Amino acid sequence: LLTANNPGSNDLIDADMEAYETDLKDILQLYFNYVHQLVDVIGTYRELLEEEWENAKKICTQISNGDIEAGLNFSHLACELIEKIEEDLKTQVDKCCDNLHERSLMDEDVDQRLAFIESCREFKTVVQEAREGTIKSLGFAKSLM
């Protein structure tokens, strides 16, 4: 009714809608930052990440290009999780190698065989943890499709 009487009001409405869209996109980016920080804190908790992805899919379809932004952000997040696991694996393997080297330099009184078995157990634990994290991360990445 107001727009019929005042032709300039369409411009105001368009400007308000553009400002509203911009605000929504800013809030969406803030949400993505929150999710990234959450992942830094919790790691590869797959169920929570999938829940956030489902929420983002519902919300982002209401924002222009929001679904594209959500897909890109969550894809980057999945990549970051896998890269983090890789870095952690390298660090832990280096630590295990250092422990193995230290054990090999120990006194002859200590049974070298037992020290070697203990080092093997450490390696096994490191690989198992990396495997579990990778499976969770890849499962999350697969859920993005």
Side-chain angles (χ1 to χ4, degrees):
L1 187 60
L2 290 175
T3 58
N5 295 333
N6 187 357
S9 65
N10 283 337
D11 294 335
L12 289 174
I13 291 173
D14 289 342
D16 286 345
M17 288 304 292
E18 287 177 26
Y20 180 70
E21 274 290 321
T22 302
D23 289 345
L24 282 177
K25 289 179 181 180
D26 290 343
I27 292 169
L28 187 61
Q29 284 302 331
L30 185 65
Y31 168 72
F32 292 141
N33 290 338
Y34 158 76
V35 172
H36 281 274
Q37 290 174 0
L38 183 65
V39 167
D40 289 340
V41 173
I42 64 165
T44 57
Y45 188 60
R46 179 179 170 183
E47 292 81 15
L48 181 61
L49 294 174
E50 288 177 351
E51 185 178 314
E52 291 299 327
W53 168 241
E54 291 301 320
N55 289 334
K57 284 194 307 187
K58 291 175 189 172
I59 295 168
C60 291
T61 57
Q62 306 300 317
I63 301 170
S64 66
N65 296 326
D67 50 348
I68 294 170
E69 286 294 320
L72 288 173
N73 274 281
F74 277 89
S75 295
H76 287 296
L77 185 63
C79 289
E80 288 174 16
L81 287 172
I82 294 169
E83 289 169 356
K84 184 178 178 184
I85 292 168
E86 177 190 13
E87 291 172 13
D88 290 345
L89 179 62
K90 287 178 181 179
T91 303
Q92 293 298 324
V93 166
D94 287 343
K95 189 186 286 185
C96 287
C97 288
D98 291 343
N99 289 343
L100 179 61
H101 181 69
E102 287 176 17
R103 288 182 184 125
S104 68
L105 299 175
M106 293 172 63
D107 294 336
E108 296 300 323
D109 295 342
V110 178
D111 188 5
Q112 292 294 324
R113 183 174 173 262
L114 291 176
F116 179 74
I117 290 172
E118 187 175 334
S119 294
C120 289
R121 286 184 183 137
E122 287 178 12
F123 276 110
K124 181 181 176 184
T125 301
V126 166
V127 170
Q128 284 176 336
E129 289 173 357
R131 179 181 180 269
E132 290 171 9
T134 303
I135 288 171
K136 289 178 183 179
S137 297
L138 290 175
F140 172 65
K142 185 179 177 182
S143 74
L144 297 176
M145 295 181 180

